[in-house]
Amino acid sequence: MVEPLKAHNLPSRQAKRTLSGIAAYFCAALLVCVLTIAGMAMIDVLHFNTVSVAMTYTLGVMVVAIYTSRGPAILASLLNVAAFDFFFVSPHFTFAVADTQYFVTFAVMLTVALVITTLTSRMRNEAARALAQEREAHALLVEMEREKLRNALLSSLSHDLRTPLSTIKGAASLLAEILQTNSSSSQHTLAVSILEEAERLNRLIENLVFATKLESGAVAVKREWVSLEEIIGSALTRLRSERPSRKVRIMLAADFPLVRGDGVLLEQAILNILENAYVHGGEEREVEIKCKKEGGRVEIRISDCGPGLEAGSETRVFERFYTSRRGGAGGLGLGLHIAKGVVLAHGGKIRAENRWEGGASIFIDLVADEAPMASLQEVMAA
Amino acid sequence: MIPVKPLVLLIEDDPQIRRFLRTALTEHEYRLIEAVNGKEGLQQVTTCSPDIVLLDLGLPDRDGGELTREIRSWSRIPIIVISARGREEEKIQALDAGADDYLSKPFGVGELMARMRVALRHSAQFKDGRSEPIFEVDALVVDLGKRQVTLAGQRMHLTPIEYKLLTILVRHAGKVITHAQLLREIWGPPFMNEVHYLRVYMGQLRRKIEQDPAQPHYIFTEQGVGYRFRAESSVNQKTMAAAS
C-alpha cells in the first residue's frame, strides 16, 4: 500500500522544476529587464562591447527555455531583440537602427533564441512523455498487484474455506441423521447445532465473496428474459429449507411481464431482502411481496411487520457491514449491501422505508423492457 | 431375493470430502469405489462398471464437462456432478454434456441420497425399457397413455405445448432439466436460446396446476439452470426430511 503513494509523488517533483502560466511569462519579462540592467552595467562600468550584451541575452533565453515552456521563451527572445535594439544600438532609446549590420545581429539573436527554445521544449516533452509512461506503467503494475491479491483472497475464501465447510456440513448432517434414529436427544441437538452453524458460516462466506466480487466489478450481469414469479419462487424455496413455517403473501398479477436481467443475481438480491425481513420482521409474522408495473418500470416491494427501521437508517441499511443496533441476525451486514449492488448493476434503484402501519419495506425499482411477445406469437402459430 | 447394494464411483480430489462420503454412503447401504482424478475415474468406469457416478467438477486434471461427455459417449450410467454454488455455467455445461443431475456444495446427506435415489430409479426404468404410464404425485395425476391430466380429481385442460412441457418434466421427475434440453425437445434446436418462450409457458402451466405459482409445489425453478419436478409426494418428502 506504499506503492501508490510513490506514483503520486512523481508529478509534484516535475511541477517544482518548471513554472507555468502567467507567472512564467512574467518571469521571462523580468529576466529581460534584469539582463538589460546588467547589460548597461557591462557597457558603462566594465566597458564591454555590445556583442557581450547580445550573448548575455541569448543565455537568458536558454535559461527561460529550460525552466519554463515554449511560450515564455519565445516572448523572451522577442523582448531581447527589442531591448537590445532600444537600449544598446545607436541611436539609443529608439527602435531606429543607424548601422544596418545590426539587422544581421538581430536575425542571428532571434534565430539562435528560437532554435534553443524549440530544442529545449522538444527535449522537455520527451522527458515528460517518458515520465508519464513510467507513471502509467507503475500505476498499472500497482493495479495488477492489487488485483492479484484480491483474486488470491477471493479464491482462497471461496475454495479453501468452503471445502472444509462442505465436509463439516455433510458430516454433521450424517451425524444428525444417525443420532436421530438412535434417539439420543442431546447428542442429536448438538449435531443439529453444528449443521446449522456450518450453514450460517457458509452463507457468511458466500456473502463476503459475492460482495467483494460485486465491488471489484468481477460479476458479469446477464441480460436474459427472466420471470419475477420464478425468481421469487426459487428464492422462497431456498429459504424454505431453513425456515419452513414462514408465511409469505405474494401479490403478482398473472400477466406480469418478463424482466430483462440476471436471474441468479436477482434471486440472491431478493433472497437477502427476504432473509432480512424474516429476521427483523418478528417471528410468526407475515412477509409480503408486492410486484407492480408502472409505465416503463417494475417495482418489487418486500415488507415485514417488525419494529421497522431505526430512524435515519433508511440509506445506511444498504451500507457495507451495516448492522442494526438492535442486533438479532448476527450477520456481517452484507445482505442488503449485496442486494443494492445487484439492483444497481441492473440499472435499477433500491430504497428502504418504514410503513405507516408498522414494519419496514424495501423497494426495488427495475427498468421494464418490452417483452418479445411478437416472436412468441409466431412460435405459438407454428 | 436380497437386492445387490448399488456400486457408487466417487471421483473427488479432496480427501476429507471423500472420507465423509465414504461413511455416508456405507451408512446408506451403498458400495463404494473411489478415484482422486479424472484419469483414474475414467479407468474405473470401464473396469468396475459402477451403477452411479458422483463427479466433482473441480478436478485437478480434467474438465468435468469434458469427462462427462466422454463417459456419456459409450455409457448410460447415471452421473451426478458436484460443484460450488454460483458456478451455474459449469453445471449447465456438465448437464448438457449428459450429466443426470447436480448438487451444490455444501450439501447435506439427505439431499445427496434423494438425488442418488432419483438417478438410480430413472436408470433402472431406462434399463427395463418400461416407463410408468401413470404418474402420480400428491393431487396431480398425469396419464401418459390417455394423455390426460387431473388435479385433485378435476380434469385439466392443457394446450399441446403445456402438456408436452409437463410430460417432459414428469418423465424426469426429481431430476433437473436444463432450459436448453426443454427448448430442444419442445421447439427444436433453432430455439435453444429462446428461454423467454419457456418462461412464458412455464408461467401458464404453473397457473393451471399450482395453487400459488410463486410458491410452487410441483415445478421448482433451479435459477440459472432449469426446472425440477417434485420427485415424491409431500408425505414421503416430510418423512425423508425428518430422517435426514
Side-chain angles (χ1 to χ4, degrees):
Chain A
M1 289 303 107
V2 181
E3 304 275 348
L5 290 175
K6 225 195 218 164
H8 288 301
N9 279 344
L10 292 173
S12 63
R13 203 202 306 153
Q14 199 204 8
K16 240 181 256 168
R17 283 193 43 153
T18 57
L19 285 165
S20 57
I22 295 166
Y25 284 95
F26 181 74
C27 285
L30 194 72
L31 189 70
V32 173
C33 291
V34 170
L35 288 175
T36 305
I37 293 164
M40 281 174 171
M42 279 156 92
I43 299 235
D44 294 343
V45 181
L46 302 169
H47 305 292
F48 286 5
N49 64 10
T50 49
V51 174
S52 307
V53 177
M55 288 298 141
T56 312
Y57 273 127
T58 309
L59 194 69
V61 170
M62 209 151 89
V63 170
V64 174
I66 288 169
Y67 285 101
T68 70
S69 55
R70 205 164 170 219
I74 290 172
L75 177 75
S77 311
L78 294 172
L79 285 180
N80 275 351
V81 174
F84 183 66
D85 178 8
F86 195 79
F87 293 106
F88 301 101
V89 177
S90 58
H92 295 300
F93 306 111
T94 68
F95 286 110
V97 178
D99 190 347
T100 46
Q101 70 165 337
Y102 273 111
F103 283 116
V104 177
T105 311
F106 295 160
V108 170
M109 266 179 83
L110 198 63
T111 312
V112 169
L114 291 177
V115 167
I116 289 171
T117 305
T118 310
L119 286 179
T120 316
S121 86
R122 193 179 297 164
M123 224 162 69
R124 204 186 14 251
N125 284 349
E126 289 291 327
R129 196 175 309 138
L131 195 74
Q133 267 170 5
E134 185 196 332
R135 212 156 47 207
E136 209 173 289
H138 188 81
L140 209 67
L141 207 70
V142 168
E143 187 51 41
M144 268 163 64
E145 283 294 323
R146 210 184 288 170
E147 193 66 27
K148 221 157 78 183
L149 191 75
R150 189 160 42 204
N151 286 345
L153 196 67
L154 266 182
S155 78
S156 81
L157 265 178
S158 56
H159 183 264
D160 299 352
L161 288 182
R162 273 200 272 195
T163 307
L165 257 181
S166 292
T167 310
I168 295 172
K169 180 180 170 177
S173 72
L174 180 64
L175 201 58
E177 191 185 294
I178 294 168
L179 288 172
Q180 187 162 58
T181 46
N182 295 347
S183 71
S184 34
S185 69
S186 67
Q187 286 173 5
H188 177 254
T189 312
L190 288 176
V192 170
S193 296
I194 299 173
L195 179 61
E196 284 175 359
E197 291 304 282
E199 269 164 9
R200 190 161 79 128
L201 197 53
N202 179 59
R203 269 201 308 280
L204 291 180
I205 293 169
E206 256 175 32
N207 275 346
L208 209 56
V209 171
F210 198 10
T212 316
K213 271 192 191 165
L214 267 177
E215 273 167 26
S216 65
V219 177
V221 182
K222 284 193 201 162
R223 308 289 288 172
E224 287 177 341
W225 290 106
V226 292
S227 146
L228 283 183
E229 189 176 85
E230 286 187 356
I231 289 169
I232 292 167
S234 56
L236 285 171
T237 307
R238 264 174 74 190
L239 281 172
R240 190 138 300 149
S241 60
E242 290 158 38
R243 303 167 199 267
S245 61
R246 210 58 193 231
K247 247 207 246 150
V248 181
R249 190 147 56 106
I250 299 158
M251 282 171 277
L252 187 136
D255 59 346
F256 204 80
L258 297 177
V259 175
R260 221 156 164 60
D262 189 311
V264 175
L265 294 184
L266 286 173
E267 182 199 78
Q268 189 63 46
I270 287 178
L271 185 130
N272 287 0
I273 297 171
L274 279 171
E275 216 166 18
N276 211 60
Y278 281 12
V279 171
H280 297 289
E283 291 291 320
E284 307 302 315
R285 307 286 276 283
E286 199 177 63
V287 170
E288 185 188 280
I289 307 173
K290 194 172 183 178
C291 301
K292 64 177 179 186
K293 186 177 181 251
E294 260 180 11
R297 308 204 68 93
V298 167
E299 186 190 85
I300 309 159
R301 192 186 76 189
I302 299 173
S303 313
D304 63 50
C305 301
L309 304 158
E310 289 170 68
S313 70
E314 285 85 350
T315 53
R316 288 179 47 219
V317 291
F318 298 110
E319 282 171 15
R320 178 172 43 172
F321 301 130
Y322 176 83
T323 45
S324 155
R325 263 169 291 152
R326 294 195 196 107
L332 285 176
L334 282 174
L336 291 185
H337 178 68
I338 289 171
K340 183 184 181 181
V342 168
V343 172
L344 291 187
H346 279 79
K349 288 182 231 152
I350 192 165
R351 69 194 155 88
E353 242 174 48
N354 275 326
R355 304 203 292 171
W356 62 267
E357 66 268 48
S361 286
I362 306 278
F363 293 83
I364 295 177
D365 198 39
L366 294 173
V367 184
D369 288 305
E370 277 310 308
M373 289 310 283
S375 55
L376 185 68
Q377 300 293 329
E378 284 168 31
V379 174
M380 282 172 86
Chain B
M1 191 183 95
I2 303 156
V4 185
K5 290 181 185 176
L7 183 63
V8 182
L9 169 61
L10 171 64
I11 312 177
E12 161 74 63
D13 60 320
D14 186 81
Q16 297 300 329
I17 295 183
R18 275 205 312 276
R19 190 170 69 177
F20 133 65
L21 284 173
R22 199 180 302 143
T23 319
L25 292 168
T26 319
E27 192 70 30
H28 283 88
E29 308 286 306
Y30 286 101
R31 288 177 300 140
L32 180 69
I33 40 171
E34 295 171 27
V36 296
N37 56 43
K39 194 173 157 231
E40 215 181 287
L42 201 60
Q43 242 165 28
Q44 283 176 334
V45 176
T46 30
T47 53
C48 307
S49 56
D51 297 297
I52 186 165
V53 175
L54 296 181
L55 168 64
D56 186 275
L57 288 184
L59 291 176
D61 65 329
R62 288 287 297 266
D63 172 67
E66 194 193 302
L67 193 65
T68 306
R69 192 168 292 113
E70 194 165 331
I71 297 173
R72 201 42 94 236
S73 65
W74 49 268
S75 168
R76 273 298 322 157
I77 181 173
I79 301 170
I80 297 177
V81 293
I82 300 169
S83 97
R85 181 181 294 289
R87 294 179 162 265
E88 266 61 36
E89 295 297 326
E90 191 180 73
K91 291 169 193 159
I92 294 170
Q93 265 178 21
L95 289 167
D96 286 336
D100 292 75
D101 214 331
Y102 74 89
L103 262 176
S104 289
K105 266 188 199 169
F107 53 84
V109 172
E111 215 179 329
L112 170 69
M113 292 308 150
R115 295 275 192 283
M116 286 178 62
R117 210 163 37 237
V118 167
L120 285 168
R121 188 167 64 218
H122 283 290
S123 150
Q125 278 174 3
F126 186 83
K127 268 189 207 147
D128 293 358
R130 71 182 160 87
S131 61
E132 300 288 334
I134 296 175
F135 177 89
E136 190 175 347
V137 62
D138 288 333
L140 186 76
V141 181
V142 182
D143 190 326
L144 295 169
K146 289 188 195 156
R147 299 176 65 86
Q148 197 171 296
V149 180
T150 56
L151 184 69
Q154 286 272 333
R155 180 98 185 261
M156 304 301 300
H157 296 281
L158 303 181
T159 67
I161 286 177
E162 287 163 8
Y163 179 74
K164 198 160 181 190
L165 196 53
L166 182 62
T167 53
I168 297 168
L169 287 166
V170 155
R171 277 205 190 97
H172 297 95
K175 282 200 328 188
V176 70
I177 304 284
T178 64
H179 296 136
Q181 287 166 346
L182 281 168
L183 284 163
R184 190 174 43 224
E185 274 205 55
I186 298 171
W187 287 289
F191 295 95
M192 296 241 301
N193 293 318
E194 316 291 320
V195 182
H196 55 279
Y197 298 161
L198 207 53
R199 300 212 194 274
V200 171
Y201 280 102
M202 193 58 79
Q204 287 177 11
L205 177 61
R206 275 185 172 138
R207 260 182 290 286
K208 288 185 183 173
I209 66 168
E210 301 281 9
Q211 219 168 34
D212 182 353
Q215 305 191 63
H217 179 79
Y218 296 108
I219 306 169
F220 301 108
T221 305
E222 302 271 319
Q223 205 52 251
V225 179
Y227 299 95
R228 185 191 300 275
F229 201 90
R230 180 171 214 106
E232 282 141 338
S233 288
S234 47
V235 188
N236 286 343
Q237 208 79 17
K238 265 184 205 137
T239 49
M240 241 178 55
S244 71

